[in-house]
Amino acid sequence: MAMPDTNRGDTPLYSTTAETLLALGSNGETGLTGSEAKNRLDQHGPNEVPEEKRHPLLRFLKKFWGLSAWMIELIALLSVALHKQADLLVAVLLLVINAILSFLQEQRASAAVAALRRQLNVTARVLRDGTWQTAAARTLTIGDIVRIRAGDFVPADLQLVDGVLQTDESALTGESHEVERTINEALYAGATVRRGEGTGVVIATGARTYFGRTTELVASAHPKLHVEEVVARVVRWLLVIVGILVALTLVVSYIKGLPLLDTLPIALVLLMSAVPVALPVMFTVSMALGSMELSRRGVLITQLSAIEDAATMDVLCADKTGTLTTNQLSLRRVEPLHGFSEGDVLQTAAFASNEANADPIDLAFLRAAKERGVGSADARTVSFQPFSAATRRTESIVVLGGRTIRCVKGALRTIAETAGLDAVAITELEGHANTEARNGVRVMAVARADDEGALVLLGLAYLYDAPRPDSRRLIDELRLLGIRVKMLTGDAFPVARAIADALGLGTIVRAPDLHIALQEAQERGTEMAEDADGFAEVFPEDKFLVVKRLQAAGHVVGMTGDGVNDAPALRQAEVGIAVSGASDVAKGAASAVLTHEGLVDIIDLVKSGRAIYQRVLTWIVNKISRTILKAGFVVLAFLATGQFVISALGMVLLVFMTDFVKIALATDRVRPSEHPETWNIGPLVKVAVALGLLMLAEALALLAYGWHRFALGDGGGRLQTFTFQTLLFFALFSILSVRERRAFWASRPSMLLASALVADAVVGALIGIHGLAELRPLPIAQSLLIAIVAGVLVLGPNDLLKTSLTERALKRLRKLSPEKQ
């Protein structure tokens, strides 16, 4: 026996796989038994690298580091300098409570993401107990026999038993060129198979692999989300506006000779009111909960951008096979040519198929051959070449009864020309095939060559992939959501036309015709891509072209795919969707992965994305209107009265209490829009500004009434409490109003949001009754007056104005094309 090579991985790699199989106690024909695999998995551990996790204490301490935390900490230090012990205590308590709540919410979100990651692990085709089965890559162990093909990630370190593959190891080595691997050579975990297929024996797993890691599906890229850009832009403007008001306050305070230590805390809190304290937690929780809900419905999210972009998607390019059809090909009939039988055609087609690949066409022939008893147990496959877009056929070399047979199946013209048929004969065969194709039937040609003889066409096989029963209804539902579905298929035009008719789709364009139009004029090609309801005779690279043309026309595009060649189109589309059974490379390029066949999961993805969009929009509108209210109220009241109408403590309490409510927005019930959304939200920002200015005028009028009616300017701290409750109740009722685009009573808030609103109102009322530090008690009648006035104004005329302005703003937004930022 040759000496093993131990330079790579922890498991010896012998010069031949036969020696490796013997050393590992594995069988290349039957694989490991289930019990042996379990024992080895227990011994060696799962095929994964332990994730490095930060200690929870460190993550909790991080909550005390950041702009908002710094401001509260600075206020605490100023309280020490001013000897305000009560303010110091409250500031520290708020800082700790805010850190605890934020930490707990992020723990919840992290648990959701971790559960999602467990569902997104790479799967592998493994031979156990003599049968091929699909298993999670993390369950592979030393000695397992694994089948890999183009589009797969190599799930562990393998030694090839058979096959020739072209692999991309750039993610591991940094070298971009493809590497050929043949029998007895090693494949390393994390590489990508670009071409070919083969069988390998697992020689190392998990941290013991050569590169010390396994590939997981969860995408490592974290693209900047559109909402982050929008929110950053809004916050920048708010900071500018509040900064100007703060500067004005400091100048006036200086002119009036007020101590800087009295003015600075208020200035800090006003600036803090413009910082999106609650947004990161609210958005993280909302996305995590949305991802978990989608995973329960069969959509696994690999990039958060998928949920966001699904809200704005207005075109969906859908693969016919498996998405619009059942992906359960059945053999309708066999048409042998003169001198051959149906059994000859079917047996040869079955020999040119491979069960380990789980290809729908191969499985259809194997299933039909088994049902009709035309297979042969004595046949031994020497080599197998899978289908590729370049060859348009599959081919195998089989030894049967001492004879070597070359078995081929594939596209009619390709096989007929290879078999030497003349143009007249090919045209006649294509005429028969086109007649069948008009009914949606796919025609495959089957040929054979004995020993070194010439290839002979045996006959034609007719396959049918029926449309899914629910596809037409779901296409209509997507149309009602404002999304146009475009079918993409590699089938000939007549087949595509028949399926399109069954699905209620209109214009079908041949991909070659699209290429011609683009060569003549880019605008014409773009217009053709926009107008078409589907594309026939599509090669995988054509999908990328279709996506680019639709994006050039201003559309937000979703694309479904399953193969390695679909990866560029999936990555180019705003919403790349890997369908059920997709290759690992397609899943890695996609931002969402479907676990069920059909379109129903995509509808769930769109509705979930639009629901999250509505929650974020509620936060943006509320943030703008309330910042205008708080900052404008404090500064204008100071200019009018010469006093700070609220203390730093009161403002910190307001920020904390209302942010706690806004975090609860992540769970709110919302009604998804019936139209694609857009992040060009200028009209809605104007609505928020109008609401903020209206509440500011109302709150100042209420303060003026209290100033004269209740003598609030006489000191004693009642002014601070009056202002605190005024701003609090206006804020709480505003959240209740703004969360609904229609009248506020059109829907109920979630239980968590309602509980948070009630809790804030109760705490605010108790502070008014009993006081807190410099916030002195108010008569119950005054607190009740503030709550009633705020509720009547915000839920009355303000809500009517909001509904009217929002309806007009949404109409304007629908006229705008979805803007990709």
Side-chain angles (χ1 to χ4, degrees), residues 376-606:
S376 177
D378 299 331
R380 180 172 61 87
T381 301
V382 176
S383 67
F384 178 78
Q385 296 180 14
F387 178 87
S388 72
T391 63
R392 297 184 66 80
R393 67 187 182 194
T394 60
E395 182 174 330
S396 65
I397 304 298
V398 177
V399 176
L400 179 63
R403 292 182 302 135
T404 300
I405 305 173
R406 179 185 172 204
C407 304
V408 182
K409 72 177 191 300
L412 173 55
R413 176 168 285 274
T414 299
I415 302 302
E417 288 177 348
T418 307
L421 270 68
D422 59 37
V424 175
I426 293 175
T427 301
E428 184 178 348
L429 287 174
E430 285 184 330
H432 292 297
N434 288 337
T435 301
E436 294 288 344
R438 293 189 188 97
N439 297 318
V441 176
R442 186 171 182 176
V443 182
M444 302 288 290
V446 180
R448 185 179 71 194
D450 293 327
D451 294 320
E452 298 297 325
L455 196 67
V456 178
L457 184 65
L458 304 184
L460 306 179
Y462 297 90
L463 302 169
Y464 184 66
D465 184 14
R468 295 180 59 81
D470 60 351
S471 285
R472 182 160 187 162
R473 175 180 61 81
L474 294 173
I475 288 173
D476 290 340
E477 189 171 341
L478 282 167
R479 284 176 180 151
L480 291 175
L481 291 172
I483 298 173
R484 187 174 176 186
V485 178
K486 297 178 183 289
M487 179 183 76
L488 284 80
T489 176
D491 289 338
F493 181 83
V495 176
R497 179 69 269 165
I499 297 296
D501 288 342
L503 296 173
L505 296 174
T507 306
I508 301 298
V509 172
R510 294 174 63 251
D513 294 339
L514 178 62
H515 283 281
I516 293 171
L518 286 169
Q519 289 171 0
E520 293 176 355
Q522 289 287 314
E523 293 78 10
R524 186 183 168 207
T526 299
E527 186 178 341
M528 179 181 286
E530 232 186 331
D531 293 342
D533 289 313
F535 302 88
E537 301 172 25
V538 171
F539 283 91
E541 54 268 26
D542 294 331
K543 296 180 181 180
F544 179 82
L545 178 66
V546 170
V547 172
K548 290 281 287 183
R549 288 300 94 209
L550 291 171
Q551 289 173 332
H555 295 284
V556 177
V557 183
M559 166 64 75
T560 70
D562 60 358
V564 60
N565 290 327
D566 293 335
L570 292 174
R571 195 172 293 280
Q572 176 65 29
E574 283 86 353
V575 188
I577 304 168
V579 299
S580 173
S583 68
D584 290 336
V585 170
K587 291 176 182 177
S591 51
V593 180
L594 306 184
T595 59
H596 303 141
E597 295 180 346
L599 295 171
V600 63
D601 292 344
I602 298 175
I603 292 175
D604 289 335
L605 174 61
V606 170

Side-chain angles (χ1 to χ4, degrees), residues 116 286-317 474 477-478 481 483 556-561 570 573-579 590-596 598-615 670 672-673 675-677:
L116 190 61
S286 189
M287 285 292 196
L289 295 180
S291 297
M292 283 302 295
E293 177 61 27
L294 284 170
S295 72
R296 285 192 287 271
R297 298 182 183 183
V299 184
L300 306 182
I301 301 300
T302 64
Q303 294 179 23
L304 288 181
S305 58
I307 301 179
E308 181 195 79
D309 286 324
T312 58
M313 180 176 73
D314 64 324
V315 174
L316 174 66
C317 297
L474 294 173
E477 189 171 341
L478 282 167
L481 291 172
I483 298 173
V556 177
V557 183
M559 166 64 75
T560 70
L570 292 174
E574 283 86 353
V575 188
I577 304 168
V579 299
S591 51
V593 180
L594 306 184
T595 59
H596 303 141
L599 295 171
V600 63
D601 292 344
I602 298 175
I603 292 175
D604 289 335
L605 174 61
V606 170
K607 289 182 176 180
S608 179
R610 293 184 185 179
I612 290 174
Y613 172 96
Q614 292 297 326
R615 295 187 186 109
V670 293
S673 169
H675 306 275
E677 306 287 9

